[in-house]
């Protein structure tokens, strides 16, 4: 049993961009020669989130549309007053989706569904350089 | 320290059916003789989700009602156009609730609240045979 | 590799109070002399949830406002009829946000963002004594 940690870096456009990071996570698992255990993913930051989905253009637009409908960018947010920010909606979207995800690994591969990808969603209102922490616990 | 993986199978009706899977997970823990560690649960698939709740008929109906209100089945979804599918709402519900859940185990038992059950929600629009991956890391 | 479990206790006011529990979790990690691994947090109970956010008064009000808008306290809930309870909205908010959170630890510290705090949100309708289970797996 061992712990292995990798940090993946991404250049994002923000504005609820939905990045498929499955391949990058799979490569990190291979390079660490992990065969079985859990992969725990985490976004260090309060305007990004992780989940899974079928990452095809239609479903991506649906998710962006639903987040805009439920937490509209143009609505009045206290956060935008107190901090001089414009990303109050980004914080809400990130907190609701959540910053952590845990995926089982067997025989060196994640047990994802056939049409299921791991996505990192950057809700912030500007392009950013982002990190995702990938931590394996297992054999 | 060791890793143990089990796959639980379920026949579901879909349409946001909410299955209480607590007993099945508890049995898997017992059969693996795990005493302390974490149980990491995962749905391989993009139209299912895991969370916890008080699994009584009223709260189940409330949850189904809220998901229908926030992500209506009848709304226009891009996913339904591009793929010829009818489950655009299922994908949104699953991504928002999330596919993974982690529960602590002590003295061979999950540290759940008295009225807290682990539920698997199948959002798809048809009956399916589903798997949940249960992975233990601990002693 | 080892497993360490701590239980943190909190007195809450309920009504979607948002408590910043970051310092308490960090102290638990220090006192257990954990240097690297995952911290898995869990709320035993069906009306509490864990996530991360920038814990400043404006963003806290925004989150409380969004939860009230999406799952209004005054709406009719089946749970309130069947159990004689008044916390149907609390259950929905808790299930959607989720009871578990996993955070990576390196060099004895959680890999949180600069303005990212771990929050426990108590959605119940009355003050309560609450527990959060903090479980480390690592070295």
């Amino acid at each position: 049993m061992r712990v292995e940690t990798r940090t993946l870096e991404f250049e994002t456009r923000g504005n609820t961009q939905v990045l498929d990071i499955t391949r990058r996570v799979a490569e990190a698992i291979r390079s660490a020669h992990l065969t079985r255990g859990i992969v725990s993913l985490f976004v260090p930051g309060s305007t990004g989130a992780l989940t899974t989905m079928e990452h095809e253009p239609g479903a991506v637009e649906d998710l962006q549309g639903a987040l805009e409908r439920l937490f509209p960018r143009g609505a009045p947010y206290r956060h935008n007053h107190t901090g001089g920010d414009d990303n109050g909606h980004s914080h809400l979207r990130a907190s609701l989706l959540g910053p952590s995800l845990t995926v089982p690994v067997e025989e060196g591969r994640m047990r994802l569904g056939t049409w299921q990808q791991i996505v990192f969603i950057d809700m912030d209102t500007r392009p950013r350089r982002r990190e995702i922490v990938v931590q394996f616990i297992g054999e």
Side-chain angles (χ1 to χ4, degrees), chain A:
Chain A
M1 291 282 292
R2 59 195 166 97
V3 182
E4 294 279 343
T5 309
R6 297 287 186 277
T7 301
L8 304 182
E9 297 197 343
F10 299 92
E11 301 283 344
T12 69
R13 297 192 305 267
N15 294 308
T16 310
Q17 186 188 3
V18 179
L19 290 89
D20 176 359
I21 66 168
T22 315
R23 193 173 306 186
R24 295 281 298 277
V25 178
E27 286 168 3
I29 292 169
R30 262 197 303 277
S31 75
H33 305 287
L34 186 88
T35 54
R36 49 202 293 269
I38 61 166
V39 182
S40 182
L41 304 170
F42 188 80
V43 186
S46 49
T47 53
L50 293 163
T51 188
T52 65
M53 67 181 299
E54 181 180 343
H55 189 272
E56 60 84 17
V60 167
E61 265 191 57
D62 290 341
L63 181 57
Q64 291 166 331
L67 290 170
E68 176 61 31
R69 184 168 48 81
L70 298 178
F71 312 101
R73 179 164 183 165
Y77 295 105
R78 286 279 184 174
H79 179 69
N80 295 353
H81 289 275
T82 55
D85 280 327
D86 67 347
N87 61 1
H89 64 290
S90 318
H91 284 275
L92 291 177
R93 297 175 186 188
S95 291
L96 263 285
L97 277 164
S100 77
L101 184 70
T102 302
V103 183
V105 172
E106 280 192 303
E107 302 179 7
R109 286 216 297 251
M110 290 185 283
R111 283 283 298 267
L112 295 165
T114 313
W115 294 282
Q116 181 182 30
Q117 282 82 40
I118 300 172
V119 293
F120 166 46
I121 312 176
D122 189 344
M123 326 280 188
D124 215 340
T125 50
R126 56 186 173 85
R128 293 188 61 170
R129 185 171 193 78
R130 293 282 207 173
E131 297 186 339
I132 303 287
V133 182
V134 179
Q135 199 166 50
F136 321 97
I137 297 198
E139 296 168 352

